[in-house]
Amino acid sequence: MPRRQSDRQSGPITEQEIDIRAVMGCMCMHLRRATRRVTQLFDRLIEPAGITSGQFGLLARLYAAKLRGETGLPIGVMADQHGMDSTTLNRNLKPLLAARLVDEGPAPGDRRVRMVSLTEAGRERLASTMPLWREAQRRVDDALGPEATLALNDLLDLSVARLAD
């Protein structure tokens, strides 16, 4: 069993203590690298719409809620859907609120819960971004192949479910 930093005696670090081959096989490092590459592609292609890929995802989730007849989504639900904490979500929502693409207010049944909803301007921005998003998605499909893209999405969804807290 590897020693923890607090268990280590002072002195030089040995090569046994840093197994660089194991570190280079780190799932987190591989996923972050792939995620950055895909995010850069999407961000570059949808930049003319004036939003980022992350903001596009938030608008899309709110639009899906509207299609289901929901007036909006609670902050906590949105954060969970996007795999982030509420603080990070709030930081990502600020530009959308400033641009009046989303609105926020208290939940009808519980005024302590903040709800976020898509505005008409947000729906229009989402719609105008769709051709740019489709082009980004097409490029990913072309690079990976549509079957690999679907398989990767399925595997990522399974991973999220299995790694849930």
Side-chain angles (χ1 to χ4, degrees), residues 49-51 56 59 99 101 120-130:
I51 59 174
F56 176 85
L59 294 177
L101 301 178
E120 183 57 27
R123 192 201 61 74
E124 289 171 5
R125 181 74 59 93
L126 181 63
S128 69
T129 305
M130 287 303 299

Side-chain angles (χ1 to χ4, degrees), residues 61-138:
R61 289 257 189 222
L62 290 169
Y63 182 68
K66 192 174 237 182
L67 289 177
R68 292 189 305 269
E70 300 173 44
T71 57
L73 292 172
I75 289 284
V77 169
M78 283 188 74
D80 186 54
Q81 288 177 343
H82 286 272
M84 61 179 71
D85 60 47
S86 296
T87 303
T88 303
L89 176 63
N90 281 317
R91 189 171 50 250
N92 289 316
L93 286 171
K94 279 186 182 181
L96 298 175
L97 286 162
R100 293 189 167 87
L101 301 178
V102 300
D103 197 12
E104 69 176 342
D110 186 348
R111 299 190 62 74
R112 297 171 296 169
V113 175
R114 284 184 38 234
M115 297 282 287
V116 180
S117 58
L118 187 67
T119 64
E120 183 57 27
R123 192 201 61 74
E124 289 171 5
R125 181 74 59 93
L126 181 63
S128 69
T129 305
M130 287 303 299
L132 303 171
W133 174 85
R134 282 189 188 98
E135 175 60 19
Q137 187 65 46
R138 185 195 61 76

